[in-house]
Amino acid sequence: MKHRLFREQQLNCDIETAWKFFSSSNNLSEITPKNMGFIVLTQMENDEIYEGMLIDYYISPLLGIKMKWQTEITHVDFQKRFIDFQRKGPYKLWNHHHEFIPNEHGVLMKDTIDYELPMGFLGEIAHSLFVKKKLEYIFDYRFRVLSRLF
């Protein structure tokens, strides 16, 4: 079964600052809870994302078990939106749409994540018991960190 997580946050900065921060995988560790063991393996030289770009990570989402995760940037609309899609990792489907909307207060950032767990019925039980709560925890953490940064 497919699930959706949606979040939005007002950032007190200009679109150039927001885009530069969020389009750089080098900043992901800063907005991910430390207990997730999130490590970006792909080093970006100029912080510019592009369609087809592959980004590799290590993450420990459960019980400290280290997993490799790879996302592909499948769409880039400069300073407006980009999409990262899981190529390899813990989900059957992970499609994360980032949107940035300039307004009179700065930039409204929207995250829409469509995801599905593997293992059918067992994956749905895991979703109910802990995966949904874990994702909410991660994005609540991001909200707090971004509130301080922006």
Side-chain angles (χ1 to χ4, degrees):
M1 173 183 274
K2 290 184 184 172
H3 302 278
R4 175 171 279 178
L5 176 67
F6 176 78
R7 294 293 175 94
E8 65 180 32
Q9 183 170 4
Q10 180 63 46
L11 305 173
N12 297 312
C13 65
D14 59 30
I15 188 64
E16 292 81 11
T17 302
W19 182 262
K20 183 175 174 126
F21 183 86
F22 290 98
S23 65
S24 172
S25 63
N26 296 324
N27 293 321
L28 280 172
S29 296
E30 189 173 349
I31 61 172
T32 302
K34 304 302 173 223
N35 63 1
M36 298 290 295
F38 190 82
I39 301 168
V40 179
L41 300 173
T42 303
Q43 295 303 312
M44 295 176 62
E45 293 183 24
N46 60 11
D47 281 350
E48 288 186 31
I49 62 171
Y50 54 88
E51 290 179 19
M53 180 180 193
L54 298 176
I55 306 169
D56 293 305
Y57 321 89
Y58 277 128
I59 190 163
S60 301
L62 187 62
L63 303 172
I65 300 167
K66 192 182 218 179
M67 303 178 85
K68 191 162 185 181
W69 188 330
Q70 182 183 70
T71 58
E72 177 182 358
I73 304 300
T74 59
H75 178 82
V76 177
D77 189 358
F78 184 70
Q79 295 186 351
K80 292 181 181 167
R81 67 186 58 83
F82 69 91
I83 298 171
D84 63 85
F85 178 81
Q86 176 194 279
R87 298 277 304 233
K88 298 175 189 170
Y91 293 89
K92 182 176 179 182
L93 169 72
W94 178 273
N95 200 43
H96 186 174
H97 183 254
H98 308 256
E99 187 174 8
F100 305 90
I101 304 165
N103 59 32
E104 64 275 5
H105 303 291
V107 177
L108 179 63
M109 179 189 66
K110 296 183 179 185
D111 283 305
T112 305
I113 302 100
D114 293 312
Y115 65 99
E116 185 175 357
L117 296 169
M119 300 188 295
F121 177 70
L122 293 175
E124 287 307 303
I125 291 173
H127 183 262
S128 297
L129 293 176
F130 56 86
V131 173
K132 181 179 178 184
K133 291 177 188 130
K134 188 74 162 192
L135 284 173
E136 289 172 349
Y137 162 75
I138 292 166
F139 280 86
D140 288 347
Y141 179 89
R142 286 184 177 187
F143 188 93
R144 290 189 305 275
V145 170
L146 293 170
S147 293
R148 286 193 305 268
L149 291 174
F150 297 99

